[in-house]
Amino acid sequence: EPEVTQTPSHQVTQMGQEVILRCVPISNHLYFYWYRQILGQKVEFLVSFYNNEISEKSEIFDDQFSVERPDGSNFTLKIRSTKLEDSAMYFCASHIADPNTGELFFGEGSRLTVL
Amino acid sequence: AQKVTQAQTEISVVEKEDVTLDCVYETRDTTYYLFWYKQPPSGELVFLIRRNSFDEQNEISGRYSWNFQKSTSSFNFTITASQVVDSAVYFCALSDFQTGKLIFGQGTTLQVKP
């Protein structure tokens, strides 16, 4: 069964460091998303990406965040200068075509701990 | 604005009891999709069901069933004969028709005791 894969599964970093979270969406999918879940809280939308550009971003997704699809297979989330409050589980998700058909596939998440 | 409310923060039941998790949503869209996800202690999001706004038929999948009531903007989830393995956080979510992004509720933590 096809799946969305994320690396690393857990990363610990010092405040102020740059972090890149990587995702490999399912190969024929066209829509990509990042979501964030602070421990014990709900899952929140960060950004959606289609046709090599951001299609929507939330107010959480400020200038410290960026996304990229560098090589047609990976989809990355970069946090330029991490803050304590960036500690969370980050989920990548992908969708095959029209976002309103079929299932949104989530990866297993990358847990980021900022010290 | 779109919003999903799961009023039950935590529910505790004894194994074999039936349990219903409530979900109420708000949207101005006439077409939308509703979802339930399970998040076990390991942290991943497990897809349970997707239902579009035009289909109000109730659905049953094994011990799971869903009751979609458009008139009350609710999409409740019932687990029949609960098991310890059902212990998890359950999220209800609403998709934005334009972008496909999901708006999640706060989640309900279900604890099933043996």
Side-chain angles (χ1 to χ4, degrees), chain A:
Chain A
E1 186 175 317
E3 59 180 16
V4 176
T5 57
Q6 290 185 241
T7 54
S9 55
H10 189 193
Q11 181 160 354
V12 180
T13 190
Q14 295 291 324
M15 192 168 59
Q17 295 295 305
E18 176 182 283
V19 161
I20 297 176
L21 304 179
R22 291 183 168 78
C23 170
V24 179
I26 296 171
S27 63
N28 59 345
H29 283 196
L30 301 176
Y31 291 81
F32 313 112
Y33 306 82
W34 283 101
Y35 288 81
R36 180 183 83 173
Q37 184 184 30
I38 294 171
L39 185 64
Q41 297 187 21
K42 69 177 178 181
V43 180
E44 300 174 291
F45 168 78
L46 285 179
V47 65
S48 58
F49 192 87
Y50 170 70
N51 202 24
N52 284 321
E53 60 183 23
I54 291 174
S55 47
E56 185 176 357
K57 58 184 180 180
S58 72
E59 56 193 28
I60 302 169
F61 194 88
D62 62 23
D63 292 343
Q64 292 297 314
F65 291 90
S66 63
V67 289
E68 199 177 33
R69 188 156 161 79
D71 56 15
S73 62
N74 290 285
F75 178 50
T76 61
L77 174 68
K78 182 193 291 186
I79 309 174
R80 275 187 250 291
S81 177
T82 49
K83 300 176 279 207
L84 295 177
E85 52 265 38
D86 294 327
S87 295
M89 180 78 94
Y90 289 83
F91 291 101
C92 175
S94 71
H95 210 291
I96 186 165
D98 179 342
N100 290 294
T101 58
E103 180 188 336
L104 182 66
F105 288 81
F106 280 92
E108 294 196 341
S110 293
R111 183 170 297 285
L112 175 64
T113 302
V114 182
L115 301 176

